[in-house]
Amino acid sequence: MSDKLRVGILGATGMVGQRFIALLENHPWFEVTTVAASPRSAGKTYEEAVGNRWKMDTPIPESVKNLVVHNVNEVEEVASHVDFVFSAVDMSKDEIKAIEEAYAKTETPVVSNNSAHRWTPDVPMIIPEINPEATDVIKYQKERLGTKRGFIAVKPNCSIQSYTPVLTAWKEFEPYEVVVTTYQAISGAGKNFKEWPEMVGNIIPFIGGEEEKSEREPLRVWGHVDDEKKAIVPLGEDTITITSQCIRVPVLYGHTAAVFVKFRKNPTKQQLIDAMTSFSGEPQRLQLPNAPKQFIQYLEEDNRPQVTLDVNYENGFGVSVGRLREDKVYDWKFVGLSHNTIRGAAGGGVLCAELLKAKGFITKK
Ligand SMILES: N[C@@H](CC=O)C(=O)O
């Protein structure tokens, strides 16, 4: 019998579910043993259920294609086969909240890509390099849920990953006002060009709920665990304010962000570059399987980062930055790029689970 932890994928047939399955092929610690999706997919093999909607560059892993899909609503049954689950279910926010809690209450840790629990006060929202200590709130969540090993952890929205790590690396220079415009790939909406032909040669200046997430979620990532409140308290807007516009662009993978920043201190360009390129955290220290060796790269060429050249930097787990220059209204401006379905979605979830395993929160049942 394998020593690997048995993993279930909830919402296994969707784009993020597929990405989880592709990323976990040959994972040294985790093995996908159970796939679950909506009742209409239940009872089919995974290959039949996905049909011609498989969107990854690599084929469906042999170890997964013949797994019989479970009904995701049969919580006890699915949970009985796994040590923990990744959640990418596609339901209403209230349904997601309820089903993720139901899994946690079966003593099954849930690592979620969904936004439903991102503001639940005792649920950690983790970017492993930035706030690994957010796991300290899990004990309070378990107290509330009445569990011993079951809990929910989430990762933040894909849109914030191209600039939040950079602003974190610059913390010592005290950034306090940020204007960001994101240029978001269509895969962020779970679609490709065949499914969304209107996006060919087009731009849509609206992504529902995205600007609020882009402005608020970094503050929760930068928050702290308050032991009296048994909750994560977000950083206040008096420390840093972010305003954003989020735009859908005709790109398949890769969210780009154009960012303007004001600082309380007065960094030089070289100090900003050094702070970015030397920035690392627990994933690097613990040598987690998917930790990028260098989290943030700085590209000197004026025409970088480019989606086609740079989106797969560090296997899609790294952030590429370029065009750092002084600004006449703000202090500095730059362009950041990250892979929205790897670092920004399933990959961010896998790295989070690796951190949780390394810290002893996810174990064999
Ligand atoms: N909501 C985002 C996806 C991020 O998780 C998008 O639409 O691009």
Side-chain angles (χ1 to χ4, degrees):
M1 201 173 124
S2 157
D3 278 347
K4 294 186 185 180
L5 296 178
R6 298 164 306 157
V7 175
I9 311 291
L10 313 180
T13 54
M15 167 99 80
V16 177
Q18 292 179 24
R19 181 63 82 183
F20 274 123
I21 286 168
L23 284 172
L24 292 170
E25 186 173 14
N26 302 320
H27 193 281
W29 298 350
F30 308 145
E31 180 174 8
V32 177
T33 57
T34 305
V35 285
S38 66
R40 71 177 177 279
S41 296
K44 297 179 184 164
T45 66
Y46 183 71
E47 189 175 30
E48 284 164 359
V50 173
N52 61 7
R53 292 175 296 132
W54 180 255
K55 298 188 179 104
M56 302 298 107
D57 296 333
T58 49
I60 302 177
E62 285 299 318
S63 56
V64 173
K65 80 182 189 197
N66 293 317
L67 293 177
V68 174
V69 179
H70 290 258
N71 178 348
V72 73
N73 300 312
E74 290 174 4
V75 175
E76 295 281 347
E77 164 62 17
V78 175
S80 71
H81 297 288
V82 297
D83 295 310
F84 76 101
V85 294
F86 288 107
S87 172
V89 288
D90 185 13
M91 299 173 174
S92 74
K93 204 167 176 170
D94 286 345
E95 287 170 332
I96 294 172
K97 275 189 169 173
I99 201 165
E100 291 185 345
E101 278 205 9
Y103 273 94
K105 284 182 177 164
T106 66
E107 301 294 3
T108 306
V110 178
V111 179
S112 180
N113 183 62
N114 295 300
S115 64
H117 275 295
R118 288 193 193 142
W119 288 88
T120 303
D122 57 15
V123 169
M125 179 160 73
I126 303 172
I127 295 180
E129 285 87 349
I130 299 180
N131 62 338
E133 69 290 343
T135 55
D136 290 350
V137 83
I138 290 173
K139 57 181 177 287
Y140 301 125
Q141 188 194 145
K142 287 180 176 171
E143 214 175 279
R144 173 176 62 85
L145 296 176
T147 56
K148 289 197 165 53
R149 73 186 291 284
F151 65 90
I152 302 162
V154 299
K155 51 148 288 295
N157 201 50
C158 51
S159 62
I160 77 167
Q161 319 270 346
S162 312
Y163 57 93
T164 306
V166 179
L167 296 171
T168 308
W170 290 346
K171 189 174 164 200
E172 65 182 293
F173 307 116
E174 300 181 18
Y176 69 95
E177 203 174 288
V178 179
V179 177
V180 54
T181 304
T182 63
Y183 302 88
Q184 300 191 204
I186 64 170
S187 55
K191 295 200 172 98
N192 59 24
F193 286 106
K194 206 167 119 206
E195 294 160 322
W196 201 359
E198 299 82 357
M199 275 310 298
V200 177
N202 196 11
I203 278 181
I204 298 182
F206 175 71
I207 305 173
E210 204 70 356
E211 289 168 0
E212 193 192 18
K213 290 175 188 167
S214 302
E215 292 167 7
R216 293 182 67 220
E217 289 190 9
L219 301 177
R220 187 152 198 266
V221 171
W222 292 322
H224 69 279
V225 176
D226 183 315
D227 291 309
E228 267 178 34
K229 293 195 169 103
K230 301 186 174 185
I232 292 174
V233 175
L235 193 64
E237 287 218 341
D238 48 340
T239 304
I240 182 165
T241 308
I242 302 173
T243 182
S244 72
Q245 297 200 75
C246 297
I247 296 178
R248 187 74 72 197
V249 295
V251 160
L252 184 56
Y253 294 115
H255 286 358
T256 299
V259 189
F260 296 78
V261 191
K262 277 188 188 169
F263 292 96
R264 291 207 165 82
K265 301 224 168 122
N266 197 9
T268 64
K269 180 171 179 178
Q270 197 53 49
Q271 284 175 317
L272 292 172
I273 292 174
D274 290 347
M276 270 189 281
T277 54
S278 64
F279 182 66
S280 70
E282 286 293 90
Q284 289 71 31
R285 193 183 66 75
L286 296 168
Q287 298 187 338
L288 299 180
N290 278 295
K293 290 213 165 32
Q294 186 174 338
F295 185 20
I296 307 174
Q297 69 166 341
Y298 184 70
L299 299 159
E300 296 283 355
E301 299 91 325
D302 281 339
N303 61 1
R304 305 285 283 278
Q306 279 181 35
V307 169
T308 50
L309 298 179
D310 303 312
V311 73
N312 290 319
Y313 168 62
E314 291 278 14
N315 299 318
F317 283 84
V319 178
S320 297
V321 176
R323 305 223 62 214
L324 178 63
R325 59 220 192 274
E326 281 188 272
D327 183 63
K328 63 184 180 205
V329 178
Y330 278 68
D331 295 328
W332 290 91
K333 54 191 168 187
F334 70 94
V335 176
L337 167 69
S338 65
H339 196 301
N340 58 301
T341 68
I342 302 184
R343 171 56 78 162
V350 171
L351 195 59
C352 181
E354 291 171 357
L355 176 77
L356 290 163
K357 182 197 176 284
K359 293 181 89 174
F361 287 96
I362 296 180
T363 54
K364 278 259 181 212
K365 259 185 185 163

